[in-house]
Amino acid sequence: MSEATPEIKKGLVGVYADVSTISKVMPETNSLTYRGYAVQDLCENCSFEEVAYLLWNGELPNRGQLAEFKAAEAAEREISPALHRVIKDFPASAHPMDAIRTAVSFMGMEDPESADVSEAATRRKAIRLLAKIPTAIAAAHRAAKGLPPVAPDPSHSFGENFFNLVFGKVPQPEVLKAFDVSLILYAEHTFNASTYTARLVTSTGADIHGAITAGIAALKGPLHGGANEAVMHMLTEIGGPEQAEEWLSTRFDHKALVMGFGHRVYKSGDSRVPTMTKYAEKMAEVVGDRRWMETSRVLAAKMLKEKNIHPNLDFPAGPAYYLMGFDIPLFTPIFVAARITGWAAHVIEQAADNRLIRPLSHYTGPEQRPVPPMDQR
Ligand SMILES: CC(=O)SCCNC(=O)CCNC(=O)[C@H](O)C(C)(C)COP(=O)(O)OP(=O)(O)OC[C@H]1O[C@@H](n2cnc3c(N)ncnc32)[C@H](O)[C@@H]1OP(=O)(O)O
Ligand SMILES: O=C([O-])CC(=O)C(=O)O
């Protein structure tokens, strides 16, 4: 006798899986707060380091707390000679997301507190991850190009350090500000797929390096963080605003996805897009190349008019990073460098009030049957 099919929430659409005090997405007003502060307000008034502190501690830091936090992060930026050696041996063709996923897993094996899942140890490990992830991303990127790594400079801010590690120099203030804004916007977004992955791993009692390794694997997918790279591949394939309408019509004819559009939660606009677009426009001005923003404008207008689908954060972030000079395969690793803050906040929250995450599946395979002898199969 077949059982009645229970209600299945495919993709867990609309399911509340837990409570959280970290951030709030309000799709009805296209808004987002971190610990109660509007993300736009944080972008205009805070540095990425202040936002990282906020996510991990629940309140913005005062001057002394910020100085202490920045010093703790700056002191942990070096990666070990063993990790440098491993990175040098990565295949040059490896995707940087696979490189940083492997590097974080390696950092877990080296971490002196690897097996300690107490909150105090997890917080110390989170700082080490925040500090070392840019060093590993940049070392792998440069090794794949046959370049030596650049040593982290503890006198640099988080953003300055990232540019210096990748390019060996720090850009002008407008570029640094746009980069910092992108990190703040990418830092946290409730129970998205990668954060939920990190919480699920944490729910088994596993350590933060395991949770973040899994989070990075989930973020790489083109339906999630990988979309910021896909957006730029799409824009370069289109070539310019003149070709954008026709290119999009062909996508519609093939019922193909258009990268950087749509969102599971926001259906009438992603809270972060106006701010990121403003800073991507500034990058276009700084570089003196409006082609990508013009192409984006044509695509967004036609998507809205014909499909009623809005862009998500990856849509303006892609061209912003391109205009800052980053190679396309570095875009999702930059997302990792930012989202480690949100992931770690969720790891800490999950562990503090944990219950193993284990949903049910409704079986629709063959009825129970005996194993036939080999000569009857
Ligand atoms: C930081 C981030 O992770 S933001 C997300 C980044 N991802 C992307 O940009 C990839 C492209 N977008 C998508 O694949 C999807 O919009 C997702 C995965 C983000 C959300 O998926 P869902 O919530 O399952 O989509 P949703 O149910 O709202 O889709 C509704 C309809 O719009 C269509 N749609 C949604 N997004 C797109 C898109 N980007 N291009 C074309 N059609 C789309 C769906 O195919 C669906 O059509 P249907 O009703 O004819 O089947
Ligand atoms: O919330 C989501 O599903 C995806 C997203 O925008 C993010 O992780 O920033």
Side-chain angles (χ1 to χ4, degrees):
M1 209 178 65
S2 65
E3 300 158 35
T5 309
E7 192 191 356
I8 306 286
K9 299 277 193 181
K10 187 96 173 156
L12 302 182
V13 172
V15 173
Y16 285 90
D18 209 335
V19 298
S20 177
T21 63
I22 302 167
S23 67
K24 185 176 180 189
V25 173
M26 289 155 278
E28 57 290 349
T29 50
N30 302 341
S31 47
L32 167 66
T33 54
Y34 296 166
R35 305 278 190 192
Y37 295 107
V39 76
Q40 298 82 348
D41 204 1
L42 293 169
C43 285
E44 297 308 338
N45 296 298
C46 297
S47 63
F48 173 64
E49 291 92 324
E50 286 171 83
V51 172
Y53 183 100
L54 170 71
L55 289 170
W56 289 357
N57 297 286
E59 296 296 338
L60 283 165
N62 61 28
R63 244 180 261 284
Q65 289 164 331
L66 180 62
E68 203 180 308
F69 182 74
K70 288 177 76 162
E73 183 271 315
E76 294 284 359
R77 289 177 180 166
E78 296 280 357
I79 58 173
S80 70
L83 181 51
H84 272 298
R85 279 196 299 277
V86 170
I87 286 175
K88 265 169 70 185
D89 279 344
F90 287 166
S93 60
H95 191 283
M97 281 297 277
D98 297 340
I100 189 58
R101 189 194 65 228
T102 306
V104 166
S105 186
F106 192 91
M107 286 176 204
M109 293 188 283
E110 288 184 309
D111 196 288
E113 297 182 288
S114 181
D116 186 347
V117 294
S118 67
E119 181 173 332
T122 298
R123 285 177 175 276
R124 288 190 291 272
K125 288 187 274 188
I127 282 266
R128 292 199 274 276
L129 280 163
L130 176 67
K132 292 183 199 312
I133 281 174
T135 317
I137 291 171
H141 171 70
R142 291 177 64 91
K145 294 183 157 211
L147 297 170
V150 174
D153 181 339
S155 74
H156 283 153
S157 70
F158 189 89
E160 288 169 339
N161 180 51
F162 197 95
F163 276 93
N164 190 46
L165 289 170
V166 172
F167 300 110
K169 58 178 192 255
V170 172
Q172 64 196 84
E174 293 93 320
V175 178
L176 281 171
K177 176 64 188 172
F179 185 69
D180 226 46
V181 163
S182 79
L183 297 179
I184 294 172
L185 295 174
Y186 266 141
E188 159 60 11
H189 211 241
T190 68
F191 281 13
N192 59 83
S194 57
T195 298
Y196 200 63
T197 301
R199 288 190 74 123
L200 192 147
V201 172
T202 303
S203 86
T204 70
D207 56 82
I208 187 171
H209 285 85
I212 302 305
T213 302
I216 296 171
L219 190 72
K220 185 188 175 196
L223 301 187
H224 191 15
N228 63 7
E229 296 179 17
V231 164
M232 202 59 223
H233 287 302
M234 170 179 79
L235 292 175
T236 51
E237 184 190 318
I238 296 170
E242 303 79 16
Q243 295 84 260
E245 292 238 7
E246 198 187 325
W247 186 92
L248 198 51
S249 297
T250 312
R251 293 297 280 187
F252 292 166
D253 292 346
H254 291 89
K255 300 201 177 326
L257 274 182
V258 185
M259 303 316 284
F261 285 89
H263 197 276
R264 172 56 62 78
V265 186
Y266 300 113
K267 298 300 178 193
S268 59
D270 182 326
S271 58
R272 304 159 293 182
V273 164
T275 310
M276 195 64 247
T277 305
K278 175 177 137 185
Y279 282 91
E281 293 283 0
K282 284 185 196 240
M283 290 306 91
E285 269 167 42
V286 166
V287 176
D289 181 359
R290 293 217 30 84
R291 193 168 18 145
W292 312 116
M293 296 316 290
E294 283 302 323
T295 310
S296 300
R297 197 181 46 74
V298 177
L299 293 176
K302 191 172 164 77
M303 279 296 281
L304 190 59
K305 186 159 164 253
E306 296 188 27
K307 300 283 175 191
N308 196 27
I309 301 178
H310 294 258
N312 58 55
L313 173 58
D314 289 327
F315 190 64
Y321 290 146
Y322 196 72
L323 290 161
M324 288 175 200
F326 291 110
D327 288 354
I328 298 175
L330 275 182
F331 295 3
T332 319
I334 296 171
F335 194 160
V336 171
R339 186 57 61 89
I340 173 63
T341 57
W343 288 332
H346 281 274
V347 164
I348 293 164
E349 187 176 71
Q350 177 70 36
D353 184 20
N354 187 47
R355 187 150 192 209
L356 177 74
I357 298 173
R358 201 295 187 197
L360 296 176
S361 59
H362 177 65
Y363 180 70
T364 57
E367 292 292 336
Q368 188 167 339
R369 50 196 173 147
V371 175
M374 187 61 87
D375 59 3
Q376 288 174 26
R377 291 181 206 166

